[in-house]
Amino acid sequence: MKTFRPLFFAISFILIVGLACSPGGGGDTPAQPTQPPQQPPTQAPAPTQPPAQPQATNTEASAPEPPQSEFFTEEFDSDPGSNWVTDIIGPGADAHADSVVTNFDNSRFRIELPEDNLYFYYTYVAQDYEDVRIDLRADNRGVNSNNVSLTCRGSKDGWYEWSVGSDGLWYLYAVTDKFNLITNGGTNSLKQGKEVNEYTMICEGRKISMFVNGVELKLSPVTENKYGLRDGNVGFNISSLDVTPVIVEVDWFKISEP
């Protein structure tokens, strides 16, 4: 069994060194925001700043529970246990990782990020997947300024991450020694504000497909030949940017065949 949690630490170290050494879709057509967008980052999972020092939680060395069936839906009726691992990174992690509040209530996983620039990763580590479909249903209960991401093929070699901002702008990364932007665009299928959205990511062969509320993005599927990540863990990420509090309730996370 492989997990990609240790790679967070290696990436963060490389990013810190790199930053120190560098100068200062109706339909899913790429959408233009109401204000000019900033240059998409190439070293961050969210479309703002690169992560700083990571701070992981759930670092106890207890053995994972026996995995359930390969494909299943986690409905978060209770804490799913040690088969899931939490990592908190981002520029605000050093000072504010302890401020993150999570709980399992009413068959929902509630994640509260009260401070800026916190990236909360939740990864299923009991199984590796090559070709896989992952779906997430999330209810935004906080500010309309956050990112929801899905991750696949997480291993020591890296992972793929599709990050969707609450403004409908999205970014697809291959994470190796840094966050490498593969492509980006926008979607009009995302419901903004205090709304419920469903996100789908399919990693199959060299192709990555992405859907918001059942509508495939204009640029999907993306054929990825440069990094060629093979298999690994799946999971999701909720991120705060520069407006808080971010409060997202995850209703369910589904792992299935493509």
Side-chain angles (χ1 to χ4, degrees), residues 201-214:
M201 182 182 191
I202 301 174
C203 298
E204 186 173 17
R206 295 285 182 147
K207 293 184 178 182
I208 300 173
S209 303
M210 300 156 287
F211 302 76
V212 174
N213 293 319

Side-chain angles (χ1 to χ4, degrees), residues 121-254:
Y121 285 83
Y122 204 57
T123 307
Y124 181 64
V125 299
Q127 180 74 47
D128 290 342
Y129 300 89
E130 182 176 357
D131 293 343
V132 66
R133 169 175 172 155
I134 50 179
D135 295 82
L136 175 77
R137 190 171 194 262
D139 186 356
N140 180 36
R141 306 309 303 159
V143 297
N144 189 45
S145 179
N146 59 61
N147 277 69
V148 176
S149 303
L150 296 177
T151 64
C152 70
R153 297 184 180 173
S155 73
K156 62 180 179 60
D157 297 321
W159 67 91
Y160 292 118
E161 179 166 339
W162 173 48
S163 183
V164 185
S166 53
D167 55 2
L169 298 180
W170 58 266
Y171 301 81
L172 178 63
Y173 298 96
V175 185
T176 54
D177 57 339
K178 63 179 181 179
F179 284 80
N180 305 283
L181 181 66
I182 298 173
T183 189
N184 66 293
T187 177
N188 291 329
S189 297
L190 185 81
K191 293 179 285 187
Q192 300 186 23
K194 286 183 170 61
E195 291 282 359
V196 178
N197 288 283
E198 294 184 11
Y199 308 82
T200 301
M201 182 182 191
I202 301 174
C203 298
E204 186 173 17
R206 295 285 182 147
K207 293 184 178 182
I208 300 173
S209 303
M210 300 156 287
F211 302 76
V212 174
N213 293 319
V215 179
E216 187 167 15
L217 302 184
K218 177 70 174 180
L219 298 181
S220 172
V222 174
T223 300
E224 201 294 286
N225 289 315
K226 183 175 181 180
Y227 302 98
L229 301 177
R230 294 178 177 175
D231 61 4
N233 304 147
V234 297
F236 62 89
N237 160 30
I238 306 298
S239 296
S240 64
L241 305 179
D242 55 1
V243 180
T244 53
V246 167
I247 303 173
V248 174
E249 294 180 348
V250 178
D251 193 358
W252 45 257
F253 181 82
K254 182 178 181 179

